[in-house]
Amino acid sequence: MKILLTAINAKYIHSNPAIYYLKSYAKEYRDYIELAEYTINQYTDDILQSIYRKRPTMLAFSCYIWNISMVEEIIREYRKLDDSVKIWLGGPEVSYDPEECLKRLPEIDGIMIGEGEATFEELASYYLKQEDWNADCKTGDVSKTLADIEGIAYRRENGEINKSSAREPMDFSRLPFLYKEAMELSEFSNRIIYYETSRGCPFSCSYCLSSIDKRVRFRDLDLVYQELGLFLDKKVAQVKFIDRTFNCKKSHAMGIWQFIKEHDNGITNFHFEIAADILDEEQLSLLETLRPGLIQLEIGVQSTNDRTIGAINRRMDLFKVSENVDRIKKADNIHQHLDLIAGLPFEDYTSFGTSFNEVYAMRPDQLQLGFLKVLKGSYMEEVSKEYGIVYKAKPPYEVLYTKWLSYDDVIRLKGVEEMTEVYYNSGQFKETLAFIEHFIKSPFHFYEDLAKFYETSGLFGLNHNRIRRYEILLEYLIERFDSKVVSVAKQMMIFDLYKRERLKTRPSFAPYPEEYKKVFKAYLTSQGTNKKGEQLHLEHFDYDIIEAASTGNIVEKDLIIKFDYQKKTILHGEAEFTILTQKEIETMKCEENI
């Protein structure tokens, strides 16, 4: 017998913790269990062929909003190839209404509902004993039927659909380490590891399935330390905690942050989703001491509209969020990602613009704009008609319009989202944006207007390289701003470009000043070896760009900046730069003349 636990992930670098949990818990049957991970970017036919070559006796899929359409297509086709295989589904996309799913998909045999580790172990035992493939199996009961297994919905031989009693959530510390076998095989060298130390959430956000189970179960910290130690020993690139609100229990969060600080390997990065407003002085003080790049924080603000926050059953002290985000930012050691959701109750286009501006003012490293997804089983689904929320019938069930936000507005916000992603979240235009912001109505208006420019110029939907993005921004600025602002912005772009890397080819808008070519060459030669010289770059500016970015003041000034690519910031990967003094400039000129 072969049981194939199958995951179809959003990207290759992702992993699916669910299938690793199932296999690790059903340890007695591990010799019969194989894991298979694919991505939604693969051809369905390639996945179908791969599964067929494995010839599973039981085929199980982990189902989410991003893969359910693909899973259903594969199931329908695979059933034509093998009418005897037992096909089971699990995961949030099929757990809420399993009877409906079984009716819609006559090709499947059953659905594991909710937490699946113990359920899957019993299913594996049932099928092994039923077919007598494992006569030496020491647990389970040969006379056991599917009706005896808690937490499933299944189809009887006569086609009747049955649902067993619900399974009580287990002690989270009873679960074995999900990645033990995989880590020994070094399967995660180039992938993100998803890891959890708690299940459930104490909050009741109406759009989130985690709010259904308000009981939070924590994994014993001694076990967590052992497991984190393995990640650190293996020097994995990133561990992404999937705890819904990681810091909801202070002692738990503090223990883990202290552990990774004390055992930091200088490589591994840890990602946490937190509630920023409940951070206290002790937590903030500890966070300030962490190595730059050791952790990153994701903070779901979602909206700054008080009525919206109340309608989605969320509790948040916005002032405290802003204060703590600023405190962490000043330490310059932690990436912060702040999230907004468009399409929430009582949030119209203008209100969302206000939310955007208020979160933008917090200066996160990334500002993520998402659109409401009305998930099956969520409270938001229950009240969607009351709020006039109309959403797509197929996954990911994204909002189309609401009482307050028209579909035209949604389209406009999609443009704002793309411009924010390209120009703000990329980190490639940091100083240019800082300068431009002194001359705009508001950040939201700027990204909205930039999206209009893209739309009218036919620029959406095309593949633009990095330099082209700079050129487009310059074209936009030429249309919207006076020539002096454009001249400074152009030099800001050159500064942004060279701060990130030593370009092999200069962009068209950055001609190299002839009078400085020989001077710069002489200086770089004087720095010693060619290798060292190749790690330096000198750039001349006609304006005090540092002052311009900071205050918006335009001051003409001969400025020469040296970029050192051997000294890059850990957090943002930017070259260290220094402004040469007038004395250094005169010395360079003299040396070149000699």
Side-chain angles (χ1 to χ4, degrees), residues 415-424 447 450-451 454 460:
V416 173
E417 176 196 27
E418 184 168 340
M419 293 299 94
T420 304
E421 191 66 29
V422 169
Y423 288 100
Y424 184 85
Y447 291 104
L450 185 56
Y454 262 72
F460 278 131

Side-chain angles (χ1 to χ4, degrees), residues 11 24 38 44 57 68 78 85 126 136 165 175 221 246 248 260 265-266 286 362 424 473 517 539 565 569:
K11 296 180 181 178
S24 65
Y38 307 98
T44 304
T57 314
I68 186 64
Y78 196 79
V85 64
Y126 167 77
D136 298 325
S165 58
L175 289 178
L221 278 176
F246 175 76
C248 65
I260 62 176
N265 61 16
L286 173 58
M362 298 181 200
Y424 184 85
L473 181 59
K517 276 186 178 180
E539 189 68 36
Y565 300 102
T569 61

Side-chain angles (χ1 to χ4, degrees), residues 62-78:
S62 181
C63 302
Y64 302 87
I65 55 175
W66 63 80
N67 71 9
I68 186 64
S69 297
M70 204 170 192
V71 168
E72 290 186 7
E73 182 182 349
I74 291 168
I75 286 169
R76 290 188 177 103
E77 301 307 326
Y78 196 79

Side-chain angles (χ1 to χ4, degrees), residues 504-565:
K504 293 180 179 178
T505 305
R506 294 180 70 85
S508 60
F509 57 82
Y512 204 74
E514 288 294 329
E515 65 269 31
Y516 285 99
K517 276 186 178 180
K518 292 182 180 179
V519 177
F520 290 171
K521 185 176 181 181
Y523 177 83
L524 294 175
T525 301
S526 73
Q527 295 303 297
T529 65
N530 287 335
K531 186 175 181 182
K532 184 176 180 182
E534 288 173 359
Q535 293 300 317
L536 299 174
H537 174 74
L538 296 179
E539 189 68 36
H540 172 265
F541 299 92
D542 298 309
Y543 301 94
D544 187 341
I545 58 170
I546 307 303
E547 172 73 14
S550 175
T551 66
N553 293 332
I554 298 176
V555 179
E556 292 188 12
K557 181 179 181 180
D558 273 339
L559 208 66
I560 295 178
I561 294 180
K562 178 174 70 174
F563 299 90
D564 188 340
Y565 300 102

Side-chain angles (χ1 to χ4, degrees), residues 11-168:
K11 296 180 181 178
Y12 169 75
I13 60 170
H14 295 173
S15 58
N16 183 298
I19 61 173
Y20 289 91
Y21 267 126
L22 298 189
K23 183 175 182 180
S24 65
Y25 191 79
K27 54 184 178 294
E28 183 174 354
Y29 313 113
R30 61 185 299 174
D31 292 341
Y32 301 94
I33 301 170
E34 185 177 334
L35 306 184
E37 290 191 85
Y38 307 98
T39 80
I40 58 174
N41 300 310
Q42 291 179 255
Y43 290 113
T44 304
D45 199 46
D46 289 344
I47 298 175
L48 187 69
Q49 291 177 29
S50 174
I51 294 173
Y52 182 75
R53 291 189 190 101
K54 298 177 187 299
R55 298 292 202 282
T57 314
M58 177 183 175
L59 176 59
F61 287 90
S62 181
C63 302
Y64 302 87
I65 55 175
W66 63 80
N67 71 9
I68 186 64
S69 297
M70 204 170 192
V71 168
E72 290 186 7
E73 182 182 349
I74 291 168
I75 286 169
R76 290 188 177 103
E77 301 307 326
Y78 196 79
R79 177 56 78 193
K80 297 173 185 176
L81 300 172
D82 186 345
D83 61 2
S84 66
V85 64
K86 303 300 180 183
I87 300 178
W88 283 77
L89 307 183
E93 189 53 29
V94 294
S95 283
Y96 170 63
D97 192 352
E99 293 98 335
E100 184 277 331
C101 189
L102 281 159
K103 291 174 184 175
R104 190 178 75 253
L105 293 170
E107 296 84 3
I108 66 174
D109 294 279
I111 292 171
M112 291 175 271
I113 304 167
E115 200 167 59
E117 290 87 358
T119 303
F120 170 71
E121 182 188 44
E122 290 188 27
L123 273 174
S125 173
Y126 167 77
Y127 280 119
L128 282 163
K129 293 185 178 305
Q130 183 192 51
E131 302 296 340
D132 198 28
W133 275 301
N134 182 17
D136 298 325
C137 196
K138 296 181 176 60
T139 62
D141 182 355
V142 177
S143 62
K144 196 172 204 175
T145 67
L146 286 175
D148 299 316
I149 299 176
E150 294 179 334
I152 63 171
Y154 60 97
R155 195 187 316 278
R156 291 179 177 272
E157 289 186 7
N158 62 6
E160 179 186 338
I161 293 172
N162 274 30
K163 184 178 177 182
S164 66
S165 58
R167 184 179 293 276
E168 281 296 311

Side-chain angles (χ1 to χ4, degrees), residues 379-404:
Y379 179 70
M380 188 61 73
E381 184 189 34
E382 291 182 33
V383 297
S384 60
K385 289 185 179 178
E386 176 188 342
Y387 289 136
I389 297 173
V390 177
Y391 53 96
K392 293 179 180 178
K394 292 185 177 181
Y397 313 113
E398 190 172 276
V399 65
L400 290 169
Y401 61 89
T402 72
K403 279 184 182 179
W404 303 272

